[in-house]
Structure formats: structure tokens, C-alpha cells
Amino acid sequence: MAGKRDKKPNDTGFEDRKRVSRRDFVKKGAVAGLGGAALLEPSARAQAAPQGSGDVAWDYEVDVVIAGGGCAGLTAAIRARDLGATVLVVDQNFDVGGRMLHSGSFVSLGGGDPVQRRDMSGESDREGFITVDPVEDREELDDSVDLLFTDLTDWSVLDRKAQGPYRYNERELVRAWAENCPATRQFLTDNYVRFARVNGTHGGGGLSRARGARCFLMLGDRTDMKAGTITAEDAGVADPERTSAFAPVQMTNMSRFVAPGAVGNGVALARPLEFSAREKGVEFMLHRSFEELVREQPFSGRILGIRARYSPRFHPETGELMRSYWQNGNVEERRETVNIRARKAVILASGGHAGNPQVRSMFYPAMREPAFPTSGLALQGRQSQDASALIAGLRVGANLAGMQQNLSYSTTFHISTRLGTRDAYTTMMPGHPTFGFRGSAGVNVGNAGFEEFIAVNQVGQRFFNEVRLPLRPGLNAYPGDGGAPGQGLEHKPLDWRNCRKEWVQEMYGHDHGLDAALAMNEGSEPPDYYSGPLWAIFDQEAVERTGWELRYPYVADNGYFFQADTIEELADKIAADHEFQRVPLKYLAETVATWNGYVDAGADPEFEREVDAPMNHIAAPPFYALSIMVIWHDSYGGLRVNGRQQVVDMQGEVIPGLYAGGEAVGGFNKHGLGKGHVHGYIAGTRAAEEPSA
Amino acid sequence: MPKSGRKTRRPTPAAGVLGAWLLIAPAAAAGQADTTAGFERGQELYEAHCALCHQESGQGDPPTFPALNGNDRLEDSARIVRNIYRGAGTMPPFPDLEVEDIAALVQYVRGAWENDFPEVAAEEVAAALDGLDETGGRVSVWDGVFTQAQADRGQTAYTGACGICHGRRLNGAPDDPDMRSTPPLARAGFLREWDGRSLATLYEYMRATMPEDNPGSLTDPEYVDVIAYMLSVGGMPTGPDALPPDPPRLSRIAIEQRP
């Protein structure tokens, strides 16, 4: 994955994919799920047959096979199981939850969903954990499916890049989504998920009403999903610099939206759902990467099943095969590839393409740069978000949708304010077994922190006004009050004045720092012309101004943080020890000297740093470098599906037996969990209703 | 996410803005030199002390922060003087301003934008100030103005109400990377933005606008406790007395760079 670089990755525990060639033939079938009922039917394995063949030798057989155990896959699994189907979830990672587990758990649904109605009434939750009053006004919560549908197909509303993301949404997909939002909220609540007070709306969820709520658990003396409690140790709140195997991201204080003692983030969403799935008898085959669909004929007939490859992840320190937090319902299987037959349907919920630089380059060639990963590198491994659903779908004739929608949402690709770690999107502290894959937590300096250093490219030259470098363009906004929840309701959907050029001129906010960061420079060589890594360069006085703690676990000797007594030595260290630094930072000393001259003169003629932003000398040793990462977080654009989440081919026909949801599908520019859970709910419902083949 | 147009960054008097004003305000431009100087001084003070809430445009952010442009209440100049000096409602007091400063501010807000109220003589301002209480001397945030116990209470309140957006390190970096950066609330970045204002301005601004989705939802003691926590993280020393939730007394405590 490292492209042209010829240096070996430094010794920070980053995984080497070649290890997956290790073959370990364990003759073992299904492990009994909870309650002792083996849902899977292992069959004798024959030699692998090509995809598209009608006589594949099946290793396993089950009603519904789901590729991916994240927000879409896990929801679909529980739903299909509830309806009586036997379900196997295949996931490339060692643990369940996908990116839902490291998310903020902000689930934006609406349409008059149960938590909107609860908050309108002012009531507490079913268990009485919530003691705070509703955060949003009643008017902000008074929602309907029609309003939600209108919001998400409003052609007139623009974001601060002057793009209108809602206008390109697939109507049928959005209508089905809106109609299923209330039922999905209820479904999640019925599976041990607790929602805090509604507070705003997550990106892409429409602007007319408040529709988003985060998930919580209550601190207690035991971790118990049924009771809704978690220990401080498991929640990662007992020690500010340590988390747990249960919570890869330390949970945050939710007292404002629940009650004192409430903590929340994706852990409070993913773990309860996983617990419920295992309790209900969903089975999991982990360390297994979905690779191919098996269809009756290459471009016609039913989807019969999937082929999946062993993708073991080994502990970065001990070298042992990593184990999921819970193991009931796990199917131990270490053969290189297995064929799994789906009697009813296959559901693709294996994520998007943000982790596949070759696929990303379809949208933005400069993002083929392998130095810049997707989010959750440590937690999810290097095979996360590898476009597996898109690639496998294309091989059986699927159509694609919404391929331009990557270019709208502001977290799709952006510059992270967390410096000094490769896994710069996701927060993580030691205590989770994958921490070693990143080596450092990083230093989150916020936008304001970018005033404290100069940012240089791989040859050591500045390339942008640092103050504006991390700024992300804002989200969709109506003229006037913006229509954002909590800020009034005065806007008129579907009105040409929402996108009139005068309003665009007023609200436009896109500085293109990211484009400059990805630009070619003197170190960019053909054929890819990679931009190379980016560095924040500063001195000891900056550390004293800011209070940045440049010590473990925030930074480490992992190639993403350097310290030296001279600028020349700093440049040498970066060039020697950073895995993606392909050329020397030959201009760094000159750049720093020039900058110090600008500080003396009180002006920055090259990049016009804001007049009221500070300019400080970089002169007091030791000198420091922290990596600045471009992150492609979530992706848009993917398989075309209809309102039943059935994958549609290039002739507009449904591919029988194939469903998809979440980031695997396109045509729906909604960020995050709200999309995936509802897709999973619909797909799980429809898949279970399919006749057994 | 802050609303567009609400700026917490200190405005910088820009020559271009002044020049533009002179072109479009013939009434003042035609006045005498000292009138123009007073107006310019007024604009400088306005941008430093008032624009945080009333906006450089004078449009405010109603209903929280009233518009001054086109506001008929500016007819009563004695009222403006009293409000500036003693505060009123959400508006903090500015007892440190000299008579000339207040006169310049009165002149500015009555003549700026589309406003066209007559000029007010400094003597009238002095007369309006007569009889208003002096409430004591001036100290700085570096003089030990809060207690450790108060800062500890403030940490609890901060973590629940503020930390989700302003970050656990008070540097404006939320833990959830989907959330946007916010202004820093401690250390050099905070001081740069707030240098020259009083704790009363900070206190009233927080009460009126924070938490952004539910302004005013903390108790008054909680708001000052959070300020105490912000100051403690910024390295300011503790003292024998807690900060009071009392704007006139807070208006005597200046936010300044480390002496």
C-alpha cells in the first residue's frame, strides 16, 4: 500500500498484509451460538470454483449472509434474525462494530420518531435514566415523514461550497429511508440502545427539525448492556490517558443530555447492539474479508452466496491472533477462503471506499497518495473501507449511484486537527489492543492550534495560510436563520432564493487548504506525482504558549513526531524515519529563516496570514515536527439500490438475492449512522422475507 | 457551530473599513477634525468592547443582542451613558471607560451605519455620569480572583456542559472529530481574543450564548465556576475569594496577558 516508497515501514507495529498468507487449516465447523443451537450447516469443502458458477462447493449455508458488522450490517443481522432467519455476519476485523464503535453515536433519524416524541412530551426514557429537560423546543421536534423526505430532497439548499447535495439524492431511496426512520429508532431502543435528549441534527439529515440523539450508558459498578451500566474502567473514564478493550474511544460526559453519571459515544451504540445480536443467535465469522459474490450466471440469475478470505489480525505486541471482546456466537474458521451459501439473501454492508486509494483516485487523483489513510486505521486495520462491496458488485453487473457526492460532505476528506499520529481522525488511548498499531494518541490542537506553527510539505516549503488550512466548509444552510435546529424555523424549502447567488456570496466558506496540501511540489515524481506528507514545524516557545504535551501517549517515536536541536537535524530525522517521506526536506531551514524574517517584519507576503493572527519566531530549541494528516473519513457513492435496498444492475433490474446498505451504497448524501441503521433495518426485513432458494 | 456573522475574534480596525465609512457618511465626514477623531476613537472602542455582541454592522443578534443600527432608543443619550457605565440586562458594565471614551462611543453609535442622531457634547456625558456609583478599583485575572474549590466545581460543570464542543483541554478541539473546532477557552489563544475585556463581558456573553444549543441553561454560579476553571487551566493563580456571579464586581476584573 505504500506505493513508491522503498523504505520498510518503521517498527511501530503497523500490520504487514503479507502475514495473511499464513494458512492454518482448522477442521472445524460452526460453533454453537447462545442457547446451543448451531445455525450454520458446515459442509465438506471442495476445491474453489469460479464466481458465477452454479456448482460451487459450499463450506457453510445459512439464510442470510451479511458482509460487514457495522451499523448497517449489525442492524440487518438482528432484524433478519428477529424475523426467523439464520444469520451469519462476516467481518474482516477481529471485533464487531465497524466504524460505529469509534463513532460519536450521533444517530440522526426523525420523521416523528420515538425519541423526538418522547422529548416533545418532556418525558424521561423508559428506564428513567434521563433527568434533564429536553434540549430542543417542541416546535423543533414536531416532525413528519413527509417533512423529512422534503428536507432530504430539497434541491434549493446549498452548503458552504455552494453545492446542493440533497438535489442528487435518489428519491425512492430517501422516501423509503424516511418512512423507516421511526421504526428503526424503536428497533434500536428495543435492542438495548439508549438515546439521550435530541440535540440538533447530523449532517445530511435535513435542516427543518432536530433529529439527532447520541447514545449513552450509565456509569456503574458493572458493565451490563441489559441494565444499561458500564464501569468507569470499561468506559475509559477512570484514567484520562487510558481506555479499555471494551471502548476503543474513551467515552465522554453526557450529563448535559441525560443525567449526571451518563457517558456516551459509539461504544454505547455498538456494544448494546452486538450484545443483542449475540443474545439472539446471530453468528459471526471474524478475521474474514468479504471478497466475491457468487451468482448463478456472471450477469444473470440469483446471488447464491459469497466467497470470503481469512484476514487475521495479530496483536501488535504479543503477535497472537486478536480476539473479539465477546465470543459467544463466533465461528472459528481459519481456512484461506470459504464459500458461504445464502439461502435467502446476501447483504453487503462492508463499508465504503475511503480506505482504498486506488478507488479514491476515481474522485480525486491526488487522494491516491497512500500516506493519507481513512479513519480508524488502528481499530479497523488496513482492509477497512476497501471498496469490497463496490468491486464485487461491479463484477456481477451492479450499477453505481451518487458517484459525485463524495465532493460535498465536509468530513469526506479534510485536514485533521489531531497531529502526530497516522490515525488522526480517531481518538484512542492505550488500553485498547490496537493502540500499538498507531503508537500515539496524537495532539488535537483544534483550528486555533494552527496559528502556532508553520505547515510545510515534503520538501519543507510552506504552501498555504496555516490559519485557514484546517477550516472545513460549513454544512447546508438556508438564508437568514440558517434553519438549523435550535436556531429557529424560519425558512422556506424548495425556494429558488435559497440558492440565489447573493446568498451564496454571503455564506460561501471554502478556502481549499486541502487542495493546496495535496498539490504537486518539487518532490512529486511521475507517474503519481504524490504530494507527500505534511509537517507542522514549531519550537519550544510554541509548546510553552499552548501547553501541548509532547510525551507518550500523545506522541511517540513512531515516525509521526520528531524533535531536534536544529532545524537541519529535524529535517534529516523526518527524511530518515517517516515511512512516506520520499525526498529530503531540502528547503526547511530556508523556509524557517524566511518565516522568522516575516515575523520581524510583521507581515507574511507569501500567504497573507491573517492580520490579527499571531506570528511567532521559530527560534527556541528544541524544534519539533508533528505530522499533519489529510483524512478521507467517510465515502459517498457506491452501489445503486432501490427503496428495498436491493442492488440494481445497469439495465435497471434488481439483482435477485442481493441487498446493500450504509456506505456501500450511493445516491444518498447523508453522513453517518442514521443512514446505515435504516438501510440495515430495511435490508434485514426484506432479506428475511425472501423465499429460501 | 457558531452562527455565521458572530465573531469572537477581536476585530481589527481596518483602514479600508474606515475609508469606506467616510465615503458613505457625508454628515460626519463634513464635520470638524476633532469630531472625526472622536468618531474614529468611538469606532475603535466599539470594535473592542461592543462588536462582540452588537456586531460591527450594528445589527446585533436579536433578540439576545439588540441591533443598534436604526434603534430609536439611541435617541436618549443619557440612557446610553448609563447602560455603558452600569450595564443593563444582558449588557455588562464598563466602569473603566473614561468620560471621553464614553462620549466617543455615544457619538459613534448615534452616527454609525444608518443612524443619524445629533452629536452629544462631552459635558452632557459627564452630567449623565454624575451620581452613578463608583464600585471600586480595578484588578486583573492574574491577581488571585478565584478559589481552587471554585475551579474544581467549574471543571465538573465544564465537562458536562462545555467540553463536548470546546474539548477536554479547553483548546477548542472537540473529541468527536465530526464536530467542528471551537474557540479556545484557556491559555494564549484565549487571552489573545479576550485581552482588554472584563470578566463581566465574558460572564454575560457566556450566559447569553452558551451552551450554544441551550443558552442560559447553567445556573449563574455555574457560569462563574466555569470561568474560574478556565482561568485555572490558563495558569492564573487562586486567591482567597471565589468569583461572584455579579456583573458590577466582575466588571472590575480585567482579562489581560500575564504581567
Side-chain angles (χ1 to χ4, degrees):
Chain A
M1 287 193 65
K4 279 171 60 68
R5 77 194 168 82
D6 50 16
K7 280 181 291 187
K8 285 173 70 72
N10 53 40
D11 191 23
T12 55
F14 285 120
E15 287 167 295
D16 183 347
R17 270 188 81 156
K18 290 202 173 60
R19 283 195 221 173
V20 302
S21 66
R22 192 175 76 110
R23 294 172 73 99
D24 188 358
F25 292 93
V26 175
K27 290 211 188 308
K28 193 170 182 186
V31 167
L34 206 85
L39 300 171
L40 295 169
E41 296 169 14
S43 54
R45 176 182 162 76
Q47 65 180 41
Q51 154 258 318
S53 166
D55 51 18
V56 172
W58 299 106
D59 301 293
Y60 293 91
E61 185 174 312
V62 68
D63 288 340
V64 177
V65 177
I66 300 175
C71 64
L74 204 48
T75 304
I78 299 171
R79 179 63 178 161
R81 186 80 194 105
D82 281 348
L83 296 175
T86 55
V87 179
L88 176 66
V89 175
V90 170
D91 197 291
Q92 59 86 23
N93 202 7
F94 74 101
D95 206 353
V96 176
R99 310 166 90 163
M100 168 172 57
L101 186 56
H102 76 168
S103 74
S105 80
F106 199 16
V107 182
S108 188
L109 298 173
D113 76 44
V115 300
Q116 287 178 312
R117 293 203 306 273
R118 177 197 72 194
D119 281 13
M120 274 184 81
S121 73
E123 289 169 5
S124 180
D125 56 322
R126 183 169 47 82
E127 294 157 298
F129 287 135
I130 299 179
T131 59
V132 300
D133 290 335
V135 175
E136 301 285 356
D137 298 335
R138 283 179 57 86
E139 303 77 54
E140 302 281 356
L141 297 163
D142 186 10
D143 202 3
S144 72
V145 168
D146 284 340
L147 182 59
L148 184 58
F149 181 50
T150 302
D151 265 14
L152 268 65
T153 48
D154 186 347
W155 55 267
S156 71
V157 62
L158 300 184
D159 64 18
R160 289 165 205 271
K161 285 174 164 177
Q163 300 185 77
Y166 293 127
R167 68 180 60 152
Y168 303 113
N169 282 343
E170 281 278 356
R171 270 68 166 160
E172 184 191 359
L173 191 57
V174 175
R175 181 74 207 185
W177 178 83
E179 287 177 353
N180 282 278
C181 275
T184 302
R185 184 78 81 182
Q186 186 61 49
F187 171 87
L188 295 171
T189 305
D190 292 342
N191 285 281
Y192 306 127
V193 177
R194 283 104 178 152
F195 288 105
R197 289 297 188 201
V198 175
N199 173 231
T201 296
H202 209 181
L207 295 179
S208 293
R209 292 295 184 272
R211 294 164 171 148
R214 294 179 174 82
C215 304
F216 71 91
L217 292 165
M218 302 301 295
L219 290 176
D221 54 11
R222 66 203 164 98
T223 297
D224 182 340
M225 298 300 97
K226 284 186 171 178
T229 58
I230 187 169
T231 65
E233 288 73 24
D234 279 348
V237 300
D239 178 339
E241 295 178 4
R242 189 162 184 82
T243 192
S244 70
F246 191 79
V249 180
Q250 293 174 301
M251 297 179 80
T252 54
N253 186 308
M254 290 285 288
S255 57
R256 191 166 129 228
F257 304 112
V258 182
V263 292
N265 69 9
V267 175
L269 172 61
R271 291 301 191 191
L273 277 185
E274 179 193 350
F275 179 84
S276 184
R278 290 180 184 275
E279 186 181 47
K280 288 176 171 175
V282 172
E283 299 199 85
F284 295 92
M285 192 182 287
L286 302 175
H287 295 294
R288 186 146 301 265
S289 191
F290 159 67
E291 279 202 323
E292 284 197 85
L293 291 161
V294 181
R295 194 173 183 181
E296 284 175 321
Q297 302 299 324
F299 297 106
S300 65
R302 281 192 75 80
I303 295 296
L304 302 174
I306 68 167
R307 178 165 305 146
R309 180 177 49 79
Y310 189 44
S311 58
R313 298 193 72 201
F314 299 99
H315 192 284
E317 280 98 35
T318 67
E320 290 174 6
L321 187 70
M322 289 200 292
R323 310 287 295 182
S324 55
Y325 185 83
W326 286 309
Q327 292 171 26
N328 53 308
N330 281 6
V331 176
E332 298 290 337
E333 175 56 80
R334 298 188 186 184
R335 280 176 286 181
E336 182 65 19
T337 59
V338 293
N339 297 319
I340 305 167
R341 177 165 180 255
R343 282 186 293 253
K344 288 173 175 288
V346 170
I347 300 174
L348 301 182
S350 54
H353 49 263
N356 187 328
Q358 294 300 325
V359 174
R360 295 191 316 211
S361 76
M362 190 189 307
F363 308 96
Y364 197 158
M367 278 304 292
R368 195 159 64 245
E369 167 62 270
F372 300 133
T374 186
S375 47
L377 184 78
L379 175 63
Q380 307 290 339
R382 294 196 173 203
Q383 295 175 71
S384 167
Q385 311 301 320
D386 60 356
S388 56
L390 187 151
I391 294 166
L394 283 175
R395 284 181 177 165
V396 297
N399 199 355
L400 304 178
M403 299 308 275
Q404 85 289 8
Q405 292 185 317
N406 268 323
L407 306 177
S408 289
Y409 195 73
S410 60
T411 57
T412 301
F413 31 86
H414 64 278
I415 289 179
S416 174
T417 62
R418 181 174 286 107
L419 311 178
T421 179
R422 182 150 196 250
D423 199 3
Y425 185 87
T426 313
T427 317
M428 189 184 279
M429 283 288 168
H432 191 270
T434 66
F435 184 81
F437 290 127
R438 57 193 286 167
S440 58
V443 184
N444 192 350
V445 304
N447 285 352
F450 279 61
E451 298 176 354
E452 305 291 349
F453 54 72
I454 60 169
V456 302
N457 60 19
Q458 66 175 340
V459 289
Q461 290 178 317
R462 290 177 70 212
F463 55 89
F464 207 71
N465 174 351
E466 288 84 355
V467 176
R468 296 191 182 207
L469 186 57
L471 303 185
R472 303 185 209 167
L475 299 177
N476 306 313
Y478 287 104
D481 70 0
Q487 297 184 8
L489 300 163
E490 294 169 27
H491 63 267
K492 185 178 172 194
L494 310 171
D495 187 291
W496 74 272
R497 284 158 292 201
N498 295 332
C499 47
R500 70 196 293 183
K501 67 181 180 187
E502 292 83 354
W503 165 239
V504 174
Q505 284 161 350
E506 185 184 328
M507 65 90 172
Y508 187 83
H510 189 20
D511 283 309
H512 295 273
L514 177 132
D515 300 312
L518 295 173
M520 290 181 290
N521 53 62
E522 208 176 294
S524 299
E525 293 169 8
D528 291 305
Y529 295 98
Y530 288 138
S531 58
L534 310 165
W535 298 100
I537 306 292
F538 52 96
D539 69 355
Q540 182 60 30
E541 282 189 6
V543 177
E544 281 153 26
R545 285 194 301 273
T546 57
W548 294 340
E549 292 179 273
L550 300 179
R551 61 172 174 82
Y552 185 84
Y554 303 102
V555 297
D557 184 19
N558 61 355
Y560 289 78
F561 164 72
F562 296 96
Q563 173 179 342
D565 289 331
T566 67
I567 294 292
E568 290 78 3
E569 190 192 340
L570 189 67
D572 290 345
K573 283 185 169 180
I574 297 170
D577 289 332
H578 180 68
E579 56 181 324
F580 294 102
Q581 182 73 37
R582 304 174 182 90
V583 294
L585 292 89
K586 68 177 188 179
Y587 295 104
L588 186 61
E590 184 184 327
T591 300
V592 170
T594 304
W595 167 257
N596 286 336
Y598 295 162
V599 176
D600 290 334
D604 171 19
E606 269 185 292
F607 297 101
E608 293 189 27
R609 192 181 268 213
E610 257 70 359
V611 282
D612 60 345
M615 292 175 60
N616 293 296
H617 289 107
I618 301 172
F623 301 100
Y624 301 97
L626 286 171
S627 61
I628 303 174
M629 299 306 294
V630 177
I631 298 292
W632 190 315
H633 172 42
D634 53 334
S635 61
Y636 299 86
L639 299 173
R640 182 182 162 199
V641 293
N642 64 14
R644 298 163 73 95
Q645 304 299 137
Q646 292 172 295
V647 179
V648 174
D649 70 15
M650 303 228 184
Q651 285 72 45
E653 302 294 329
V654 163
I655 297 177
L658 185 60
Y659 294 79
E663 280 186 63
V665 310
F668 193 177
N669 200 292
K670 183 182 186 306
H671 177 67
L673 304 163
K675 176 172 70 175
H677 285 297
V678 179
H679 285 180
Y681 181 79
I682 298 172
T685 306
R686 300 303 188 189
E689 289 170 355
E690 289 265 353
S692 280
Chain B
M1 177 185 359
K3 280 182 159 178
S4 61
R6 178 182 294 158
K7 290 188 168 182
T8 51
R9 180 173 292 284
R10 279 184 88 191
T12 306
V17 172
L18 265 181
W21 180 84
L22 289 171
L23 286 177
I24 58 169
Q32 292 132 5
D34 56 336
T35 305
T36 305
F39 191 89
E40 287 179 10
R41 172 68 182 149
Q43 179 169 22
E44 198 177 299
L45 289 163
Y46 178 87
E47 289 176 353
H49 295 294
C50 317
L52 173 70
C53 301
H54 294 291
Q55 308 293 323
E56 282 182 54
S57 64
Q59 290 173 350
D61 192 1
T64 312
F65 303 126
L68 299 183
N69 186 22
N71 188 333
D72 290 343
R73 290 179 169 190
L74 297 178
E75 176 77 46
D76 181 353
S77 60
R79 176 200 178 98
I80 308 175
V81 172
R82 281 198 309 274
N83 285 0
I84 293 173
Y85 188 78
R86 290 199 309 203
T90 300
M91 180 157 159
F94 295 89
D96 284 348
L97 293 175
E98 303 293 335
V99 174
E100 301 75 41
D101 292 339
I102 295 180
L105 269 173
V106 171
Q107 185 190 347
Y108 179 73
V109 299
R110 283 164 57 98
W113 318 296
E114 294 157 19
N115 290 345
D116 194 19
F117 296 101
E119 282 179 31
V120 177
E123 298 76 49
E124 289 179 56
V125 172
L129 283 169
D130 248 4
L132 297 183
D133 291 341
E134 278 283 347
T135 46
R138 181 175 182 284
V139 297
S140 116
V141 289
W142 297 96
D143 292 332
V145 295
F146 63 94
T147 65
Q148 189 58 51
Q150 184 178 32
D152 292 345
R153 288 196 305 273
Q155 180 169 15
T156 304
Y158 174 89
T159 307
C162 322
I164 192 169
C165 296
H166 290 281
R168 63 180 70 191
R169 311 189 64 74
L170 286 75
N171 64 351
D175 279 354
D176 181 348
D178 272 4
M179 295 176 64
R180 275 146 205 288
S181 276
T182 54
L185 300 187
R187 309 184 192 90
F190 167 78
L191 280 179
R192 201 160 55 238
E193 303 295 333
W194 286 84
D195 183 15
R197 296 190 178 122
S198 77
L199 286 188
T201 303
L202 177 62
Y203 172 72
E204 293 290 11
Y205 186 78
M206 285 166 62
R207 288 207 315 154
T209 64
M210 293 290 141
E212 198 163 47
D213 53 24
N214 210 356
S217 56
L218 275 63
T219 64
D220 290 350
E222 282 174 331
Y223 280 108
V224 277
D225 290 351
V226 169
I227 293 176
Y229 178 55
M230 290 160 57
L231 300 181
S232 79
V233 171
M236 286 125 188
T238 57
D241 298 314
L243 282 172
D246 177 26
R249 289 168 66 192
L250 292 174
S251 73
R252 296 290 179 169
I253 306 172
I255 303 171
E256 297 178 340
Q257 300 285 352
R258 187 192 290 269

